[in-house]
Amino acid sequence: GANDYVLICDGATRLSGRAVLGGVGGWSYPLADPLSEGTHAFRAVIANDAGGEGTRSDEFALTVDLTPPTSENSVSIVSFPDDVEPVVGDFGSGAVTNDASPLLHGTVEGLVSGDLVLIFEGESLLGRADVSEDGTWSFQLSGLGEGGHSFTAVIADAAGNRGTASEDFNIIVDTTPPTSGNSVSITAYYDDVPPNVDFYPESVPTNDTSPMLTGTVSGLRAGDVILLFGGSSSSGTPLGQAILDGSGNWTFQLSDLAEGSHTFTAVIADAAGNRGTSSNSFTITVDLTPPISGNAVAITSYLDDQEPNVGEFGPDMPTNDASPVLVGTVSGLHAGDVILLFGGISSSGTPLGQAILDGSGNWTFQLSDLAEGSHTFTAVIADAAGNRGTSSNSFTITVDLTPPISGN
């Protein structure tokens, strides 16, 4: 009726005041005093000014829980997987990453029904972690700004009480490539396959399928590395990381290069994996094919300048010259081809040296300090990469330094 109103009871206790009636049959009742911890059974009762009470509502049970879940439980943030190239994998607190949306991983023990794992950055609640039955949890971060971020995982109960918290877990987001105040270059490669063992520029071919790139770098910062890429850009997966010597030089060991041309680029990358300043592109040409087609080389004679027999002689003529000059002919040389001289009848081992070409199909080679006796030599055509190809005839010189003074 017009004089009716609504009273609120908590169990057998009638609460002071009346409910505030709203439109369309609604009402509200602000609880004046804080509720004690435990279960409260509320009923609404229609009453009138004469003190009569009428219809009662069904009981409405409300459980007040003010105790934070801090007992016999634990929670921790363990790692985050970085899936943004080139530095990918699982990383711990304090790591630097170029992934602005990493996924936090952690563990939790001692949860009871209704408990949650909440994730905070500082004092800001980010959301609720996904908890698995095995006690692990994950939380997807997104849109992290450049710089440091500190996260905490907190166990909260169904009432919203925050309890046990993890230790801080720090992630440093760095998405700025290292392109300022630094430089890197590829200067040469080292060939350790005979006969051409040395440092060479890219214009010199090689028969070494595993040469070592060398270069220089300046302006590196803490955590910076040099990555090597196949090709003329830093896209794709790097071949690996160069070794720095601490004095502005670096090396990188290549392996199993096929015959043909191979281009490489060195790139400075920071600890987060951002790729910055690039080097020049550097091309190595691997040549494994010996020069054996369409050419010929021969040893024809030697020059003797020791009296009394001075002149040009064949292999049947002994000499008293311990330093004669070998003479020969050659045809079919290609650009970069040379003639190597060997002691013996094969081209194995270390050559004695390289013949001098006259540009007209002839060559010479100065021998020295031959001991008394017979000495056999072979000339071999080798290309610019050091591959040994066509061999000459073997040519024997007999050195005789003993005067005929006995028995005559």
Side-chain angles (χ1 to χ4, degrees), residues 268-291:
I268 296 175
D270 61 22
N274 299 297
R275 300 170 183 175
T277 302
S278 295
S279 74
N280 54 301
S281 60
F282 188 94
T283 299
I284 296 178
T285 301
V286 176
D287 178 2
L288 305 176
T289 303

Side-chain angles (χ1 to χ4, degrees), residues 1-395:
N3 296 320
D4 289 348
Y5 51 87
V6 176
L7 299 176
I8 305 299
C9 297
D10 181 2
T13 302
R14 177 179 295 176
L15 302 183
S16 62
R18 301 177 181 180
V20 178
L21 300 177
V24 200
W27 59 266
S28 63
Y29 180 82
L31 295 169
D33 299 318
L35 296 178
S36 61
E37 190 160 19
T39 300
H40 298 263
F42 295 101
R43 290 182 183 274
V45 180
I46 297 176
N48 57 33
D49 289 336
E53 296 183 359
T55 305
R56 290 175 172 261
S57 71
D58 293 332
E59 184 180 278
F60 182 85
L62 176 64
T63 300
V64 176
D65 178 3
L66 304 176
T67 303
T70 58
S71 178
E72 297 183 354
N73 58 18
S74 65
V75 64
S76 63
I77 306 176
V78 176
S79 64
F80 71 94
D82 182 333
D83 60 2
V84 177
E85 293 281 358
V87 182
V88 297
D90 282 321
F91 299 93
S93 180
V96 182
T97 178
N98 62 342
D99 186 351
S101 298
L103 180 72
L104 290 178
H105 281 171
T107 60
V108 65
E109 294 181 353
L111 293 186
V112 298
S113 178
D115 283 357
L116 309 172
V117 175
L118 302 179
I119 307 300
F120 292 81
E121 180 174 5
E123 297 297 323
S124 300
L125 174 62
L126 300 181
R128 185 174 71 183
D130 294 322
V131 180
S132 301
E133 292 182 358
D134 62 359
T136 61
W137 60 264
S138 63
F139 183 79
Q140 181 65 62
L141 300 168
S142 63
L144 298 183
E146 187 110 350
H149 299 266
S150 183
F151 302 97
T152 307
V154 177
I155 296 175
D157 61 21
N161 299 297
R162 299 173 186 175
T164 303
S166 72
E167 294 183 356
D168 290 345
F169 188 92
N170 301 310
I171 296 176
I172 301 170
V173 176
D174 177 5
T175 57
T176 303
T179 58
S180 176
N182 56 20
S183 66
V184 62
S185 64
I186 306 176
T187 57
Y189 72 90
Y190 182 72
D191 181 333
D192 65 358
V193 176
N196 299 334
V197 177
D198 207 341
F199 292 91
Y200 295 98
E202 62 179 331
S203 59
V204 178
T206 180
N207 62 340
D208 186 353
T209 60
S210 298
M212 183 170 65
L213 289 174
T214 65
T216 60
V217 66
S218 65
L220 290 186
R221 296 173 176 82
D224 286 356
V225 296
I226 297 174
L227 302 178
L228 271 296
F229 293 82
S232 58
S233 73
S234 61
S235 61
T237 301
L239 301 175
Q241 183 174 318
I243 297 174
L244 300 166
D245 71 355
S247 299
N249 305 298
W250 60 264
T251 59
F252 183 78
Q253 183 64 59
L254 299 168
S255 62
D256 300 325
L257 299 183
E259 189 158 21
S261 294
H262 303 267
T263 298
F264 303 96
T265 304
V267 177
I268 296 175
D270 61 22
N274 299 297
R275 300 170 183 175
T277 302
S278 295
S279 74
N280 54 301
S281 60
F282 188 94
T283 299
I284 296 178
T285 301
V286 176
D287 178 2
L288 305 176
T289 303
I292 58 176
S293 177
N295 56 18
V297 62
I299 306 176
T300 58
S301 59
Y302 71 89
L303 296 176
D304 182 333
D305 63 359
Q306 293 295 311
E307 295 286 353
N309 298 329
V310 176
E312 188 170 344
F313 301 97
D316 298 328
M317 183 67 176
T319 179
N320 65 341
D321 187 351
S323 298
V325 176
L326 287 174
V327 177
T329 60
V330 67
S331 63
L333 291 185
H334 299 285
D337 287 355
V338 296
I339 297 174
L340 301 178
L341 272 295
F342 294 84
I345 60 174
S346 74
S347 61
S348 62
T350 302
L352 301 175
Q354 184 176 317
I356 297 173
L357 299 166
D358 70 357
S360 299
N362 304 298
W363 60 266
T364 58
F365 183 78
Q366 179 67 61
L367 298 168
S368 63
D369 300 325
L370 299 182
E372 188 158 17
S374 295
H375 302 268
T376 300
F377 302 96
T378 305
V380 177
I381 297 175
D383 61 22
N387 299 298
R388 299 169 184 176
T390 302
S391 295
S392 73
N393 54 300
S394 61
F395 187 94

